[in-house]
Amino acid sequence: MNLFRNHLWFYIFIISFVFASFGNAQEFRLRAHHVYWKNQEANTEREIDFGRSVSAKILGKYPIMRNEQKVRYISQIGTGISAQLGRPELRYYFGILDTDEVNAFAAPGGYIFVTKGALKLMRNEAQLAGVLAHELAHIDQKHIVLKLKLQSTDRSVTSGIAQVLGGASLSAKIAFERLNDLAFKMLMEEGLSKEDEADADQKALEMLISTGYDLQSYLDYLLSLKPYLEQGQAKVLSKTHPTIEFRYNNLREFIIKNNLEKFQGKNNEIRFKTNFAKL
Amino acid sequence: MEALHQTQLNSFLLSKIKFVLIFSALFLSSNFIVSGIFAKEEIRYVKGLGAVLREQPSILSKKLTKLSRGTKVLALEVKGIWHKVEAGEIQGWLLRGQITNIPVKIKKLVLGQKIRLASSSGRRVRLRTFTAVVGVKGLVDSKGEKISPYQTDYVALEWLEKQPTDEENSVRFLTLSE
């Protein structure tokens, strides 16, 4: 008995070691995944709610174009990309803003808008796909959500947007609305960081590759924005995005680094032009 | 005196050893648990519809097969934007955007459809989400100021949310070329 008591800690050590090594690492991982997933769901719902509110503000600033045929066309392109490379838990919406300004917006949770001015500037479907892919990348990478720091400070598995914005009290709701205004301001005035934009551009190219679109068209589109930035018709765009030179060079670098120069994609110019003959 | 000293030293050493053992046991088991959670389990899941598996890490290389959404694959190697994976018997390359490490659950969350701002008679009914309430009523905080200075348009947003989309058709539409 004395012997046992003397070596008690040793036995405990051995037992816990054996338990840990044979045991339930796998089961534990699954359970952790389950908890993580539950949180993800709550976070996703909050994110959609949040993005919906931002979108309503975008539509409060610019009128929506209620043309079912044109919306169906861009939504087919956008959904085609998101179905392959977007977040599977989201449903994405694609709208056209009836303004001559040149820009495109992405609100968290799957809301994407392109302006009429931008569509007028585009020459083919690959350019449209590129712009939509850029916005899709913002949503996939949760750039706005992360920039607003919609996560609690401890960064634990069980924290996130749902915890920050999920409260039912009035103060939580006011906080929700304040943050929402910040997100809207970020889209309209402040913009995301240079790195986020560069990242979204690169991710957009990746999406174009795997959907078989021409890459150079997207780069040409960026170049074609330039005169508008100087004229001021794309004031919001120039305020919220890095310079065209920066974005162009970033993409050239990416193309060379990944040996994508030889890739010949489609641009579906005729289909694009028939859909947007009258804008 | 000497003997007493010896036993004291012994018990002291013993308690030290106990500490070391307990902590190393805790450390080891926590290691297992942590590695259980954040395991670099090389299992990935295909995110999208129709991910094309290629023979080489290049867009110009031969297509091997198409993997359906949610397929479990084993990640083997990374090369730039390409991931080498094993799906069943076949090994090939996928773009990094095509896979995720969270099991794919398809859940269409269309919160917008829960909200009906106006009934057919024009009365407001069932304001479920807070955002809609704020949008319609213009909620004020304790000082009586309107919370958000921005205009909103939920009617236009609902119109957009009602537009039909179909993932499979859209993918087919995208792969058509002229």
Side-chain angles (χ1 to χ4, degrees), chain A residues 9-10 12-13 16-17, chain B residues 15-31:
Chain A
W9 294 111
F10 184 68
I12 288 173
F13 169 70
S16 66
F17 184 81
Chain B
S15 66
K16 275 279 170 199
I17 288 166
K18 270 182 214 167
F19 259 111
V20 170
L21 285 181
I22 293 164
F23 277 102
S24 56
L26 278 178
F27 174 75
L28 278 171
S29 49
S30 69
N31 249 0

Side-chain angles (χ1 to χ4, degrees), chain B residues 69-85:
Chain B
R69 175 175 272 169
T71 309
K72 222 175 177 181
V73 295
L74 217 64
L76 305 172
E77 194 187 331
V78 186
K79 212 175 199 181
I81 54 172
W82 295 91
H83 283 238
K84 189 176 189 180
V85 298

Side-chain angles (χ1 to χ4, degrees), chain A residues 74-126:
Chain A
I74 78 157
S75 149
Q76 262 175 325
I77 305 292
T79 311
I81 301 171
S82 71
Q84 295 179 61
L85 300 139
R87 283 157 58 189
E89 73 273 20
L90 290 183
R91 185 186 154 177
Y92 293 86
Y93 302 94
F94 300 89
I96 303 173
L97 301 174
D98 201 350
T99 164
D100 281 328
E101 244 179 67
V102 178
N103 208 345
F105 302 100
Y111 294 87
I112 290 172
F113 302 95
V114 187
T115 64
K116 194 176 81 184
L119 288 172
K120 270 187 191 164
L121 204 64
M122 289 171 194
R123 292 285 150 258
N124 58 44
E125 199 179 288

Side-chain angles (χ1 to χ4, degrees), chain B residues 9 12 14 22 25 28 32 46 53 57-58 74 78 96 99-100 110-111 115 126 146 155 167:
Chain B
L9 191 70
F12 174 74
L14 204 66
I22 293 164
L28 278 171
F32 279 104
V46 175
L53 195 70
S58 155
L74 217 64
V78 186
R96 65 178 170 194
I99 46 178
T100 167
V110 192
L111 293 186
I115 304 157
R126 285 210 294 171
K146 215 168 162 233
V155 181
E167 289 198 324

Side-chain angles (χ1 to χ4, degrees), chain B:
Chain B
M1 190 65 202
E2 185 73 12
L4 188 66
H5 184 74
Q6 197 65 42
T7 48
Q8 267 179 348
L9 191 70
N10 268 349
S11 67
F12 174 74
L13 271 179
L14 204 66
S15 66
K16 275 279 170 199
I17 288 166
K18 270 182 214 167
F19 259 111
V20 170
L21 285 181
I22 293 164
F23 277 102
S24 56
L26 278 178
F27 174 75
L28 278 171
S29 49
S30 69
N31 249 0
F32 279 104
I33 289 164
V34 167
S35 67
I37 300 169
F38 302 106
K40 275 238 156 192
E41 283 287 309
E42 302 299 323
I43 294 170
R44 300 281 185 277
Y45 304 85
V46 175
K47 267 205 297 197
L49 300 168
V52 178
L53 195 70
R54 291 183 189 271
E55 200 175 29
Q56 296 295 326
S58 155
I59 200 69
L60 303 167
S61 93
K62 212 178 103 193
K63 293 175 185 177
L64 291 175
T65 179
K66 263 188 184 177
L67 301 175
S68 55
R69 175 175 272 169
T71 309
K72 222 175 177 181
V73 295
L74 217 64
L76 305 172
E77 194 187 331
V78 186
K79 212 175 199 181
I81 54 172
W82 295 91
H83 283 238
K84 189 176 189 180
V85 298
E86 188 180 289
E89 313 263 284
I90 321 164
Q91 287 191 0
W93 296 82
L94 287 174
L95 281 163
R96 65 178 170 194
Q98 291 173 320
I99 46 178
T100 167
N101 46 12
I102 308 163
V104 171
K105 262 195 193 176
I106 299 129
K107 192 167 175 250
K108 290 288 157 58
L109 296 155
V110 192
L111 293 186
Q113 286 180 1
K114 279 196 234 158
I115 304 157
R116 294 280 168 272
L117 290 184
S119 67
S120 53
S121 60
R123 257 184 321 119
R124 288 204 293 260
V125 288
R126 285 210 294 171
L127 290 163
R128 282 223 191 140
T129 63
F130 167 73
T131 49
V133 179
V134 170
V136 172
K137 290 187 179 167
L139 201 76
V140 291
D141 66 9
S142 53
K143 285 176 203 148
E145 286 169 32
K146 215 168 162 233
I147 288 185
S148 171
Y150 301 111
Q151 289 278 318
T152 56
D153 187 349
Y154 278 94
V155 181
L157 190 61
E158 281 201 2
W159 178 84
L160 183 65
E161 284 171 341
K162 275 190 205 131
Q163 299 305 307
T165 53
D166 178 345
E167 289 198 324
E168 277 171 35
N169 265 335
S170 303
V171 172
R172 219 169 298 137
F173 182 74
L174 216 66
T175 47
L176 286 179
S177 47
E178 291 164 344

